[in-house]
Amino acid sequence: MFRLSVITLSAFMLLGCGAETATTAATAGVVKQQEIEQGKQTMQQVQQKIGESMQQMQQAPARAAD
């Protein structure tokens, strides 16, 4: 009976570790997804600024001629 109790307790402890590991992995996945989304937003902002700079460079000669 004692041996069965020890085995059962050990099994529950191992299951608890597995659940904690799964939760940690899920949390890390959410954080990584947020980092990806922030990276995409930053890239879009940079592309927009580059586009604006290109327009200003193209318009500069026309302004200088005026």
Side-chain angles (χ1 to χ4, degrees):
M1 185 70 175
F2 176 74
R3 187 173 186 174
L4 180 60
S5 297
V6 170
I7 291 171
T8 303
L9 180 61
S10 297
F12 282 129
M13 289 174 65
L14 288 174
L15 287 174
C17 290
E20 182 179 342
T21 300
T23 302
T24 302
T27 302
V30 169
V31 170
K32 185 56 82 176
Q33 182 64 31
Q34 290 173 347
E35 289 175 357
I36 290 170
E37 291 300 321
Q38 289 174 350
K40 286 180 182 178
Q41 289 175 356
T42 301
M43 186 172 69
Q44 289 174 346
Q45 291 171 352
V46 169
Q47 287 175 339
Q48 182 179 0
K49 288 180 181 181
I50 290 171
E52 291 170 1
S53 295
M54 296 286 285
Q55 286 178 347
Q56 289 176 358
M57 287 175 52
Q58 290 172 352
Q59 294 171 356
R63 286 188 207 154
D66 290 339

